[in-house]
Amino acid sequence: MPEPVKVLTQRWDRPDAHTLSGYLDSGGYRALRAALEEAPERLREQVKASGLRGRGGAGFPAGVKWGFVPQDSGKPIYLVVNADEGEPGTFKDRELMERDPHQLLEGIAISSYALNSHRAFIFIRGEYLWPGIRLEEAIAEAYGQGYLGKDILGSGFDCDVTLHYAAGAYICGEETALLEALEGRRGQPRLRPPFPAVAGLYACPTVVNNVETIMNVPHLVERGVDWYRSMGTEKSPGPKVYCVSGEVARPGNYEWPMGTTCRQIVEESCGGMLPDRALKFWAPGGSSTPLLTAEHYDIGMDFDAIAEAGSLLGTGAMMMFSDRTSVVEATLNWMRFYEHESCGKCTPCREGTFWLSQVLERILDGRGRTQDLDVLETACEQIFGRAFCALGDGATSPVFSSLKYFRDEYEHLIEHGRLPDGVEDRDSHAGPVTDNAQHGRPSMRLGAT
């Protein structure tokens, strides 16, 4: 069985890991020195051969994405690091940046050199004040000692890094919406093609990668492709930082080889579920990934195994829920989030998330009707694949999957007007109600919808 690893998290035990001195004392920036002696194209091939897949959600191979960037366009090439991390249940990038900011900067410098890019941006959500402060300090240290800026380490390579605080919109996790916001416009997704690799930031070739993805680069460059592929699975190699939250004894970030089972991560790292609680349902990659059940507890946490089970690995944000939790209530909570965060650009997502929230709230308030389940499924079908970007698709995931596995709970609520016995009421739903104002919320009557 796999064992926990410490690659990206290897310095977390050091109180000075966030400083340049602490980073250098533990081997930091050695990979950058080695990379600057290689040809950029060789580094690109090395990243491609490693099989490193994007850790931001989609799992697209990083080396393949880098290969899409034209090297002869005559335009500057930009590297943009997505540190927005707006997916509910995801908090790995925050801790990685807080504890080891220089690891990100070294990854940026190496990746920029490999891409022949001389300007990089870190797009960080505005709420991440402390990680931002740590990054500001680290950037200043790196510039001061020649690890960023002009003529890095005497190599003749220049690389400038800009830290950009965003406004905290979930939609900006989508790479083209991120680029729109970075250019000073409203964060809304762009029509593709052209893709960012050809016409991204300022209409120039651009690579957008997640924080954790870029942090993998120094390790695979320094230790080699064979070492990197010795962890994980054939199609999902390397280490992965999993965010585990919910009803577990010790929630947090834990690093394991890709493909480690959900059970092993939860039982060994988190101490299992809370006492006297049994696993009921869980999201493997944040709230936008289809829910799985206790029957999937032994599934490997990698892109392909999770896909075969009918869900998505996403960011690796494992949200664990027990038999005391209402799946309908959890789904409504997520749907309210997607309704609020929809950018409004397309009708299916803008209107669909609103109506899904309305119907779910009516069911949970004890005013549901039998036909509401068909309404939910039809609404999801009209959103999925028809929205302008993946936000709409992700919003349908908890609804589709909860109806697939827990339709009986919906039916119980509709028939009896209350949650099943043993399921805790976490939002003051005590049974049939006549007005949502009893719960401190405005009434949302639906009429004959």
Side-chain angles (χ1 to χ4, degrees), residues 19-170:
T19 67
L20 179 59
S21 59
Y23 190 67
L24 293 173
D25 287 345
S26 53
Y29 288 111
R30 287 189 312 209
L32 175 59
R33 292 182 181 276
L36 292 173
E37 296 178 358
E38 300 285 350
E41 56 269 22
R42 186 181 183 282
L43 292 173
R44 294 197 297 271
E45 286 301 319
Q46 193 173 8
V47 171
K48 184 176 181 179
S50 72
L52 169 63
R53 298 176 68 168
R55 304 304 201 235
F60 194 82
V64 175
K65 178 182 278 192
W66 290 12
F68 292 152
V69 175
Q71 294 291 327
D72 56 356
S73 68
K75 297 181 179 180
I77 297 171
Y78 295 112
L79 172 65
V80 178
V81 178
N82 186 348
D84 189 69
E85 197 168 45
E87 178 71 19
T90 307
F91 45 88
K92 60 182 176 63
D93 293 343
R94 174 176 184 165
E95 192 165 14
L96 284 165
M97 290 185 291
E98 285 179 356
R99 291 177 176 266
D100 204 346
H102 281 282
Q103 185 175 216
L104 175 59
L105 299 183
E106 184 175 18
I108 289 173
I110 295 172
S111 301
S112 296
Y113 176 71
L115 291 163
N116 290 309
S117 170
H118 300 284
R119 188 69 184 273
F121 295 84
I122 303 173
F123 186 93
I124 188 169
R125 62 186 302 177
E127 298 93 336
Y128 277 7
L129 179 60
W130 184 237
I133 291 173
R134 281 281 170 88
L135 277 171
E136 289 175 5
E137 294 172 347
I139 290 171
E141 287 182 316
Y143 267 98
Q145 297 298 316
Y147 295 104
L148 290 177
K150 302 294 183 183
D151 191 23
I152 293 177
L153 300 177
S155 65
F157 174 67
D158 303 335
C159 180
D160 289 307
V161 175
T162 299
L163 180 64
H164 177 90
Y165 285 95
Y170 174 68

Side-chain angles (χ1 to χ4, degrees), residues 346-411:
C346 71
T347 302
C349 180
R350 182 186 65 247
E351 300 298 321
T353 53
F354 168 79
W355 286 109
L356 286 173
S357 294
Q358 301 286 291
V359 177
L360 286 166
E361 183 148 5
R362 178 170 64 196
I363 293 173
L364 200 57
D365 279 350
R367 296 180 288 111
R369 306 168 305 182
T370 302
Q371 60 265 40
D372 283 343
L373 302 186
D374 293 331
V375 171
L376 287 173
E377 290 182 332
T378 301
C380 287
E381 290 168 357
Q382 295 301 315
I383 298 171
F384 189 85
R386 293 176 169 84
F388 197 87
C389 75
L391 190 153
D393 292 353
T396 67
S397 291
V399 180
F400 266 138
S401 54
S402 62
L403 283 169
K404 175 182 178 181
Y405 293 116
F406 301 101
R407 197 179 189 91
D408 57 335
E409 187 172 317
Y410 283 91
E411 292 172 343

Side-chain angles (χ1 to χ4, degrees), residues 383-449:
I383 298 171
F384 189 85
R386 293 176 169 84
F388 197 87
C389 75
L391 190 153
D393 292 353
T396 67
S397 291
V399 180
F400 266 138
S401 54
S402 62
L403 283 169
K404 175 182 178 181
Y405 293 116
F406 301 101
R407 197 179 189 91
D408 57 335
E409 187 172 317
Y410 283 91
E411 292 172 343
H412 186 282
L413 271 163
I414 291 171
E415 181 179 354
H416 301 284
R418 60 178 175 81
L419 295 171
D421 293 338
V423 177
E424 295 178 353
D425 192 343
R426 300 178 188 274
D427 195 21
S428 302
H429 294 274
V433 297
T434 57
D435 195 329
N436 285 326
Q438 295 182 28
H439 306 307
R441 300 192 305 272
S443 181
M444 296 183 178
R445 299 287 180 200
L446 296 178
T449 299

Side-chain angles (χ1 to χ4, degrees), residues 50 54 225 269 275 318 344 389:
S50 72
V225 171
S269 291
M318 301 162 58
C389 75

